[in-house]
Amino acid sequence: MKSNRRREFLKSASAAGMGFFGLGNAAAQSKSLLPWEAQYGNNREQVFNMCGYAAPKLETVRIGIVGLGMRGPGAVDRLSKIEGVEIKALCDLLPERAEKAKQSLAGTVHQPELYSGSTYAWKKMCNRPDLDLIYIATPWEWHTPMAVYAMEAGKHAAVEVPAARTLDECWQLVETSERTKKHCMQLENCCYDFFELMTLKMAREGFFGEVVHVEGAYIHDLLWLNFDKDNGYQNMWRLRENYRNGNLYPTHGLGPICQILNVNRGDQMEYLTSLSSNDFQMKKKAEELAEQDIFWTEFASKSYRGNMNTTVVKTKLGKSIMIQHDVTSPRPYSRLHVVSGTEGYAQKYPQPRVAKGHSWMKEEEMKELEKKYTPEIVQRVGELAKQIGGHGGMDFMMDWRLIDCLRNGLPLDQDVYDAALWSCISPLSEWSVANRSNSIDVPDFTGGSWKTNKPVPITLEGGGTTKVRV
């Protein structure tokens, strides 16, 4: 009942807030909109703490996978190679995609049933009693509805990024996971990239001293893909997402640095401010295409997010975070991944480098660092992950770790509070951008338990037993 009252309040508050957007009065907007989530989040009573929660062991993890377009087929391949996994169901709106994914499993132990042809075929799949995990790789707008439905149906949910697009969706994930005691893991693969894992171990062991500032980003030239109507995203869904103006895809850069700062587990975000440049390319591209093809007329009439968004966050312990988003400008790929402390510094792009002062460490010193700070998960499956693939191996390490935790009854490295917090940067940044970069409080999805939650483990203690079929 309390949850329903809260949602009604959010709907009315959000509707009122949207009315303010055209007034240009930042102060009035701020006073009207800040209570959205900040007041509730700061006073929220946690039903059950999912951070550190170990669900009952599953000797075999029976999986249903929904979304077989861009990301799903890779997940099918990777999961099929992990011991203790049974892929029992595959689902996609397009029957041919589901059939193709099933054919890719020919000769393996997996014989999945197919679900397709209907917008809600995935619900039928989720209702099966013989599934333990729903793996969601669909367009963003379906992430929260599917994850919530899966948990309500008694399944754990693993959902591609971002896990949610609105603040209300973030709260839905948190409330459902706590009530059902089912995991909701955002599939943030960048937390399992090799340099990111190494710097996490370095931070834990004091290499950087006190970490005071971190940076993350998603800088990736996707202009061509967003406007590819033949080989791009189904029904141009990702191009449509770019009508929103803010940091639309924060979690790749944010996830690893949040783990380094122990956010949700010893520290917490307090407030953020966000600024976007103008859009200098997307609308222009849509207008150029519309002159030659009527298909693009709809898109030429829209406004798009700015080329570069920069969002900065202050934490409760006084640390600073910078997150950037640019998927339009012709720039080399970068997630930044900067860690700055009182005794050391590291950055990943344009190449992994570490310093203890004004000068970068030499190649020989870097090799010694790798030997000393390579985490146990990399030692265990790092080379196998590189062979199997998925963004250089980080996708496979993420999937393997998820399954190993479920099979050994271990807490997950990423819980529902991480999914909600890392995803909420998008709607909060949109609000800040629309309000002349005014700051806005970040909700505490943990209900205060961040003060006592334990940091993400960097060992395989209690697990590491799951084998790989090569």
Side-chain angles (χ1 to χ4, degrees), residues 63-80 87 89-92 97 100-102 104-105 135-139 160 187 395 399:
I63 303 178
I65 302 172
V66 54
L68 300 166
M70 288 285 189
R71 292 284 291 160
V76 172
D77 177 64
R78 296 189 305 270
L79 290 166
S80 71
I87 300 174
L90 297 172
C91 178
D92 194 273
R97 287 182 175 175
K100 184 177 181 180
K102 182 175 182 177
S104 73
L105 294 171
Y135 197 106
I136 302 163
T138 59
E160 274 288 356
L187 293 165
D395 289 2
D399 290 335

Side-chain angles (χ1 to χ4, degrees), residues 295-312:
F295 173 86
W296 298 104
T297 302
E298 168 194 351
F299 301 98
S301 66
K302 303 296 183 181
S303 296
Y304 295 85
R305 51 139 188 92
N307 277 47
M308 172 62 80
N309 174 273
T310 300
T311 299
V312 290

Side-chain angles (χ1 to χ4, degrees), residues 147-267:
V148 167
Y149 194 90
M151 289 186 283
E152 296 280 14
K155 281 75 173 175
H156 300 300
V159 56
E160 274 288 356
V161 301
R165 296 166 68 251
T166 69
L167 286 163
D168 193 46
E169 286 185 343
C170 291
W171 285 112
Q172 288 178 45
L173 292 175
V174 170
E175 292 173 348
T176 307
S177 180
E178 289 184 356
R179 177 167 42 80
T180 61
K181 295 186 181 179
K182 292 299 177 182
H183 290 303
C184 179
M185 175 183 170
Q186 182 170 240
L187 293 165
E188 186 38 76
N189 53 356
C190 294
C191 289
Y192 296 89
D193 209 350
F194 294 83
F195 190 70
E196 283 84 338
L197 285 169
M198 187 178 87
T199 52
L200 175 60
K201 184 173 172 64
M202 291 167 69
R204 291 288 173 79
E205 298 185 15
F207 178 89
F208 301 108
E210 182 80 11
V211 177
V212 298
H213 175 77
V214 291
E215 298 176 10
Y218 189 66
I219 297 173
H220 191 185
D221 183 2
L222 295 176
L223 183 65
W224 61 277
L225 185 59
N226 277 325
F227 283 95
D228 187 340
K229 70 175 183 179
D230 298 317
N231 302 300
Y233 296 93
Q234 172 73 15
N235 194 32
M236 307 304 293
W237 69 261
R238 193 153 182 175
L239 178 59
R240 298 176 197 277
E241 290 287 352
N242 287 271
Y243 300 159
R244 301 152 52 207
N245 193 6
N247 188 322
L248 307 185
Y249 204 63
T251 71
H252 280 341
L254 186 61
I257 56 179
C258 277
Q259 290 188 338
I260 285 173
L261 287 184
N262 292 326
V263 171
N264 281 338
R265 297 167 174 82
D267 198 1

Side-chain angles (χ1 to χ4, degrees), residues 318-361:
K319 313 297 181 68
S320 57
I321 302 171
M322 185 189 78
I323 321 146
Q324 290 189 314
H325 175 271
D326 185 342
V327 293
T328 303
S329 304
R331 295 178 51 174
Y333 180 89
S334 175
R335 297 197 304 274
L336 293 182
H337 191 67
V338 168
V339 184
S340 182
T342 58
E343 298 178 15
Y345 177 89
Q347 70 176 48
K348 182 170 182 176
Y349 296 90
Q351 65 184 49
R353 295 188 289 186
V354 176
K356 275 288 191 178
H358 289 284
S359 301
W360 298 112
M361 286 187 169

